[in-house]
Structures are given as structure tokens and as C-alpha cells.
Short mmCIF file of all heavy atoms in Angstrom, two decimals:
data_model
loop_
_atom_site.label_atom_id
_atom_site.label_comp_id
_atom_site.label_asym_id
_atom_site.label_seq_id
_atom_site.Cartn_x
_atom_site.Cartn_y
_atom_site.Cartn_z
N ALA A 64 0.82 -1.21 0.00
CA ALA A 64 0.00 0.00 0.00
C ALA A 64 0.85 1.27 0.00
O ALA A 64 0.42 2.30 -0.50
CB ALA A 64 -0.93 0.01 1.21
N ALA A 65 2.06 1.20 0.52
CA ALA A 65 2.94 2.38 0.50
C ALA A 65 3.28 2.80 -0.93
O ALA A 65 3.63 3.95 -1.17
CB ALA A 65 4.22 2.09 1.28
N ASP A 66 3.14 1.88 -1.89
CA ASP A 66 3.42 2.19 -3.29
C ASP A 66 2.19 2.70 -4.05
O ASP A 66 2.28 3.06 -5.21
CB ASP A 66 3.97 0.96 -4.02
CG ASP A 66 5.30 0.50 -3.46
OD1 ASP A 66 6.05 1.35 -2.95
OD2 ASP A 66 5.57 -0.71 -3.52
N PHE A 67 1.02 2.70 -3.40
CA PHE A 67 -0.19 3.21 -4.04
C PHE A 67 -0.14 4.73 -4.08
O PHE A 67 0.46 5.36 -3.22
CB PHE A 67 -1.45 2.78 -3.28
CG PHE A 67 -1.66 1.30 -3.16
CD1 PHE A 67 -2.66 0.80 -2.37
CD2 PHE A 67 -0.86 0.39 -3.84
CE1 PHE A 67 -2.87 -0.57 -2.24
CE2 PHE A 67 -1.06 -0.98 -3.72
CZ PHE A 67 -2.08 -1.45 -2.93
N SER A 68 -0.78 5.33 -5.08
CA SER A 68 -0.83 6.79 -5.15
C SER A 68 -2.23 7.23 -5.54
O SER A 68 -2.73 6.86 -6.59
CB SER A 68 0.19 7.31 -6.16
OG SER A 68 -0.11 6.82 -7.45
N ASP A 69 -2.87 7.96 -4.66
CA ASP A 69 -4.22 8.47 -4.91
C ASP A 69 -4.09 9.73 -5.77
O ASP A 69 -4.19 10.86 -5.28
CB ASP A 69 -4.92 8.75 -3.58
CG ASP A 69 -6.37 9.13 -3.77
OD1 ASP A 69 -6.88 9.04 -4.90
OD2 ASP A 69 -7.00 9.53 -2.77
N ASP A 70 -3.87 9.56 -7.06
CA ASP A 70 -3.56 10.66 -7.96
C ASP A 70 -4.67 11.71 -8.06
O ASP A 70 -4.41 12.89 -8.19
CB ASP A 70 -3.23 10.13 -9.35
CG ASP A 70 -1.96 9.30 -9.37
OD1 ASP A 70 -1.12 9.49 -8.45
OD2 ASP A 70 -1.81 8.46 -10.27
N ASN A 71 -5.94 11.26 -7.98
CA ASN A 71 -7.04 12.22 -8.09
C ASN A 71 -7.55 12.67 -6.72
O ASN A 71 -8.57 13.34 -6.63
CB ASN A 71 -8.17 11.65 -8.94
CG ASN A 71 -8.69 10.33 -8.41
OD1 ASN A 71 -8.29 9.88 -7.33
ND2 ASN A 71 -9.56 9.70 -9.17
N SER A 72 -6.88 12.28 -5.65
CA SER A 72 -7.17 12.72 -4.27
C SER A 72 -8.63 12.51 -3.86
O SER A 72 -9.21 13.33 -3.16
CB SER A 72 -6.80 14.19 -4.09
OG SER A 72 -5.45 14.39 -4.37
N ASN A 73 -9.21 11.39 -4.26
CA ASN A 73 -10.59 11.11 -3.87
C ASN A 73 -10.69 10.11 -2.71
O ASN A 73 -11.79 9.71 -2.34
CB ASN A 73 -11.40 10.60 -5.07
CG ASN A 73 -10.94 9.25 -5.57
OD1 ASN A 73 -9.90 8.73 -5.15
ND2 ASN A 73 -11.70 8.67 -6.49
N GLY A 74 -9.57 9.70 -2.14
CA GLY A 74 -9.58 8.78 -1.01
C GLY A 74 -9.74 7.33 -1.38
O GLY A 74 -9.89 6.47 -0.52
N VAL A 75 -9.74 7.03 -2.68
CA VAL A 75 -9.93 5.66 -3.16
C VAL A 75 -8.82 5.33 -4.15
O VAL A 75 -8.49 6.14 -5.01
CB VAL A 75 -11.31 5.53 -3.86
CG1 VAL A 75 -11.50 4.15 -4.45
CG2 VAL A 75 -12.43 5.84 -2.88
N ILE A 76 -8.27 4.14 -4.02
CA ILE A 76 -7.25 3.68 -4.95
C ILE A 76 -7.95 2.95 -6.09
O ILE A 76 -8.70 2.00 -5.87
CB ILE A 76 -6.25 2.73 -4.25
CG1 ILE A 76 -5.59 3.43 -3.05
CG2 ILE A 76 -5.22 2.20 -5.22
CD1 ILE A 76 -4.81 4.67 -3.41
N ASP A 77 -7.71 3.38 -7.31
CA ASP A 77 -8.33 2.78 -8.48
C ASP A 77 -7.24 2.15 -9.34
O ASP A 77 -6.42 2.85 -9.94
CB ASP A 77 -9.09 3.83 -9.29
CG ASP A 77 -9.92 3.23 -10.40
OD1 ASP A 77 -9.61 2.12 -10.86
OD2 ASP A 77 -10.88 3.90 -10.82
N PRO A 78 -7.21 0.80 -9.43
CA PRO A 78 -6.16 0.15 -10.22
C PRO A 78 -6.23 0.49 -11.71
O PRO A 78 -5.20 0.48 -12.38
CB PRO A 78 -6.39 -1.34 -9.98
CG PRO A 78 -7.64 -1.48 -9.23
CD PRO A 78 -8.08 -0.14 -8.76
N LEU A 79 -7.40 0.82 -12.22
CA LEU A 79 -7.53 1.14 -13.64
C LEU A 79 -6.89 2.48 -13.99
O LEU A 79 -6.54 2.73 -15.14
CB LEU A 79 -9.00 1.15 -14.06
CG LEU A 79 -9.70 -0.22 -14.03
CD1 LEU A 79 -11.15 -0.06 -14.44
CD2 LEU A 79 -8.98 -1.21 -14.91
N LEU A 80 -6.74 3.35 -12.99
CA LEU A 80 -6.11 4.65 -13.21
C LEU A 80 -4.61 4.60 -12.95
O LEU A 80 -3.95 5.63 -12.95
CB LEU A 80 -6.76 5.71 -12.31
CG LEU A 80 -8.24 5.98 -12.55
CD1 LEU A 80 -8.77 6.99 -11.55
CD2 LEU A 80 -8.48 6.45 -13.98
N GLY A 81 -4.10 3.42 -12.70
CA GLY A 81 -2.68 3.26 -12.44
C GLY A 81 -2.26 3.72 -11.05
O GLY A 81 -1.10 4.05 -10.82
N GLU A 82 -3.21 3.73 -10.11
CA GLU A 82 -2.91 4.19 -8.76
C GLU A 82 -2.28 3.10 -7.89
O GLU A 82 -1.93 3.36 -6.74
CB GLU A 82 -4.17 4.75 -8.10
CG GLU A 82 -4.67 6.00 -8.80
CD GLU A 82 -5.89 6.62 -8.15
OE1 GLU A 82 -6.66 5.89 -7.49
OE2 GLU A 82 -6.07 7.83 -8.30
N MET A 83 -2.19 1.91 -8.41
CA MET A 83 -1.49 0.83 -7.71
C MET A 83 -0.75 0.00 -8.75
O MET A 83 -1.18 -0.10 -9.89
CB MET A 83 -2.45 -0.03 -6.89
CG MET A 83 -3.42 -0.86 -7.70
SD MET A 83 -4.58 -1.81 -6.70
CE MET A 83 -3.53 -2.96 -5.89
N PRO A 84 0.40 -0.57 -8.37
CA PRO A 84 1.15 -1.37 -9.35
C PRO A 84 0.39 -2.63 -9.74
O PRO A 84 -0.37 -3.18 -8.93
CB PRO A 84 2.44 -1.72 -8.60
CG PRO A 84 2.29 -1.26 -7.21
CD PRO A 84 1.03 -0.48 -7.09
N GLY A 85 0.59 -3.08 -10.96
CA GLY A 85 -0.02 -4.31 -11.41
C GLY A 85 0.84 -5.50 -11.01
O GLY A 85 1.89 -5.36 -10.38
N VAL A 86 0.38 -6.68 -11.36
CA VAL A 86 1.15 -7.89 -11.07
C VAL A 86 1.95 -8.29 -12.30
O VAL A 86 1.57 -7.97 -13.43
CB VAL A 86 0.25 -9.06 -10.61
CG1 VAL A 86 -0.41 -8.75 -9.28
CG2 VAL A 86 -0.81 -9.38 -11.66
N ASN A 87 3.06 -8.97 -12.10
CA ASN A 87 3.87 -9.43 -13.21
C ASN A 87 3.31 -10.70 -13.86
O ASN A 87 3.51 -10.92 -15.05
CB ASN A 87 5.30 -9.71 -12.75
CG ASN A 87 6.05 -8.44 -12.42
OD1 ASN A 87 5.59 -7.34 -12.69
ND2 ASN A 87 7.20 -8.58 -11.82
N TRP A 88 2.66 -11.52 -13.07
CA TRP A 88 2.20 -12.83 -13.55
C TRP A 88 0.75 -13.04 -13.13
O TRP A 88 0.47 -13.35 -11.98
CB TRP A 88 3.07 -13.94 -12.98
CG TRP A 88 4.52 -13.72 -13.22
CD1 TRP A 88 5.42 -13.13 -12.38
CD2 TRP A 88 5.25 -14.04 -14.40
NE1 TRP A 88 6.65 -13.08 -12.96
CE2 TRP A 88 6.58 -13.64 -14.21
CE3 TRP A 88 4.91 -14.65 -15.61
CZ2 TRP A 88 7.57 -13.82 -15.17
CZ3 TRP A 88 5.89 -14.83 -16.56
CH2 TRP A 88 7.19 -14.42 -16.34
N ALA A 89 -0.20 -12.90 -14.05
CA ALA A 89 -1.61 -13.02 -13.72
C ALA A 89 -2.02 -14.45 -13.39
O ALA A 89 -3.03 -14.67 -12.75
CB ALA A 89 -2.47 -12.49 -14.87
N SER A 90 -1.24 -15.43 -13.81
CA SER A 90 -1.65 -16.81 -13.59
C SER A 90 -1.13 -17.39 -12.29
O SER A 90 -1.34 -18.57 -12.01
CB SER A 90 -1.18 -17.68 -14.76
OG SER A 90 0.22 -17.58 -14.91
N PHE A 91 -0.46 -16.58 -11.46
CA PHE A 91 0.03 -17.06 -10.17
C PHE A 91 -0.55 -16.19 -9.07
O PHE A 91 -0.87 -15.03 -9.28
CB PHE A 91 1.56 -17.00 -10.12
CG PHE A 91 2.21 -17.92 -11.10
CD1 PHE A 91 2.75 -17.42 -12.27
CD2 PHE A 91 2.27 -19.28 -10.87
CE1 PHE A 91 3.33 -18.25 -13.20
CE2 PHE A 91 2.86 -20.13 -11.79
CZ PHE A 91 3.39 -19.62 -12.96
N GLY A 92 -0.66 -16.76 -7.89
CA GLY A 92 -1.22 -16.05 -6.75
C GLY A 92 -0.44 -14.79 -6.40
O GLY A 92 0.75 -14.70 -6.63
N GLY A 93 -1.15 -13.82 -5.87
CA GLY A 93 -0.53 -12.55 -5.50
C GLY A 93 -0.84 -12.18 -4.07
O GLY A 93 -1.62 -12.85 -3.39
N LEU A 94 -0.26 -11.10 -3.63
CA LEU A 94 -0.38 -10.66 -2.25
C LEU A 94 -0.43 -9.14 -2.23
O LEU A 94 0.35 -8.49 -2.92
CB LEU A 94 0.85 -11.16 -1.48
CG LEU A 94 0.97 -10.91 -0.01
CD1 LEU A 94 -0.06 -11.73 0.76
CD2 LEU A 94 2.37 -11.32 0.45
N ILE A 95 -1.39 -8.58 -1.46
CA ILE A 95 -1.44 -7.14 -1.26
C ILE A 95 -1.27 -6.91 0.24
O ILE A 95 -2.00 -7.47 1.05
CB ILE A 95 -2.77 -6.53 -1.75
CG1 ILE A 95 -2.92 -6.73 -3.25
CG2 ILE A 95 -2.83 -5.05 -1.40
CD1 ILE A 95 -4.25 -6.28 -3.81
N VAL A 96 -0.28 -6.11 0.60
CA VAL A 96 0.05 -5.86 2.00
C VAL A 96 -0.18 -4.39 2.32
O VAL A 96 0.34 -3.52 1.62
CB VAL A 96 1.54 -6.21 2.28
CG1 VAL A 96 1.89 -5.94 3.73
CG2 VAL A 96 1.84 -7.65 1.90
N ASN A 97 -0.97 -4.12 3.36
CA ASN A 97 -1.13 -2.74 3.81
C ASN A 97 -0.02 -2.48 4.81
O ASN A 97 -0.11 -2.82 5.98
CB ASN A 97 -2.50 -2.52 4.45
CG ASN A 97 -2.71 -1.07 4.82
OD1 ASN A 97 -1.81 -0.24 4.67
ND2 ASN A 97 -3.89 -0.75 5.30
N ASP A 98 1.04 -1.85 4.34
CA ASP A 98 2.18 -1.54 5.20
C ASP A 98 2.17 -0.08 5.62
O ASP A 98 3.20 0.50 5.93
CB ASP A 98 3.50 -1.88 4.49
CG ASP A 98 3.65 -1.18 3.16
OD1 ASP A 98 2.65 -0.65 2.64
OD2 ASP A 98 4.77 -1.16 2.63
N THR A 99 0.97 0.52 5.65
CA THR A 99 0.82 1.91 6.08
C THR A 99 0.09 1.94 7.42
O THR A 99 -0.42 0.92 7.88
CB THR A 99 0.02 2.72 5.04
OG1 THR A 99 -1.33 2.24 5.01
CG2 THR A 99 0.64 2.63 3.66
N ALA A 100 0.00 3.10 8.01
CA ALA A 100 -0.69 3.26 9.29
C ALA A 100 -2.18 3.54 9.10
O ALA A 100 -2.90 3.68 10.08
CB ALA A 100 -0.05 4.39 10.08
N SER A 101 -2.65 3.61 7.88
CA SER A 101 -4.06 3.93 7.64
C SER A 101 -4.71 2.85 6.78
O SER A 101 -4.03 2.08 6.12
CB SER A 101 -4.19 5.29 6.96
OG SER A 101 -3.54 5.26 5.71
N GLU A 102 -6.05 2.85 6.80
CA GLU A 102 -6.77 1.94 5.93
C GLU A 102 -6.68 2.43 4.50
O GLU A 102 -6.65 3.63 4.25
CB GLU A 102 -8.24 1.84 6.34
CG GLU A 102 -8.46 1.03 7.57
CD GLU A 102 -9.94 0.73 7.81
OE1 GLU A 102 -10.78 1.17 7.00
OE2 GLU A 102 -10.22 0.06 8.79
N GLU A 103 -6.65 1.51 3.57
CA GLU A 103 -6.65 1.84 2.15
C GLU A 103 -7.94 1.31 1.54
O GLU A 103 -8.32 0.17 1.81
CB GLU A 103 -5.45 1.21 1.44
CG GLU A 103 -4.12 1.72 1.91
CD GLU A 103 -3.85 3.16 1.48
OE1 GLU A 103 -4.45 3.62 0.50
OE2 GLU A 103 -3.05 3.82 2.16
N ILE A 104 -8.61 2.12 0.75
CA ILE A 104 -9.83 1.70 0.07
C ILE A 104 -9.48 1.50 -1.40
O ILE A 104 -9.02 2.42 -2.07
CB ILE A 104 -10.95 2.75 0.22
CG1 ILE A 104 -11.27 2.95 1.71
CG2 ILE A 104 -12.18 2.32 -0.56
CD1 ILE A 104 -12.21 4.10 1.97
N ILE A 105 -9.70 0.29 -1.87
CA ILE A 105 -9.45 -0.03 -3.26
C ILE A 105 -10.81 -0.28 -3.90
O ILE A 105 -11.56 -1.13 -3.44
CB ILE A 105 -8.56 -1.27 -3.40
CG1 ILE A 105 -7.24 -1.05 -2.67
CG2 ILE A 105 -8.34 -1.63 -4.86
CD1 ILE A 105 -6.37 -2.29 -2.57
N ALA A 106 -11.15 0.46 -4.93
CA ALA A 106 -12.47 0.34 -5.54
C ALA A 106 -12.36 0.31 -7.05
O ALA A 106 -11.55 1.03 -7.65
CB ALA A 106 -13.35 1.50 -5.11
N THR A 107 -13.18 -0.53 -7.65
CA THR A 107 -13.28 -0.63 -9.09
C THR A 107 -14.53 -1.41 -9.43
O THR A 107 -15.11 -2.06 -8.56
CB THR A 107 -12.01 -1.30 -9.68
OG1 THR A 107 -12.13 -1.33 -11.10
CG2 THR A 107 -11.82 -2.69 -9.15
#
């Protein structure tokens, strides 16, 4: 989550707007870690 960027400052992370990094391999399991002190809202 420290790598997410709320570019439009709406309080929501939108992966379609490039506000969070994508995965390298879609066919393998992934992990999202909130390593910040606040909650992150991911919406799409």
C-alpha cells in the first residue's frame, strides 16, 4: 500500500487509473500488503 498513489485525491485507490502497481504474472497467486498506518480503500 505504501506504493499506491491516490492521484485524483478522492480517497480511493483505483487500479484502472494506475494508482497501484499491477502484477507481473496473472496466472500465479498474488499478495497485497497494507504496510501503512491507515486503511486503504481499493475500488473498481
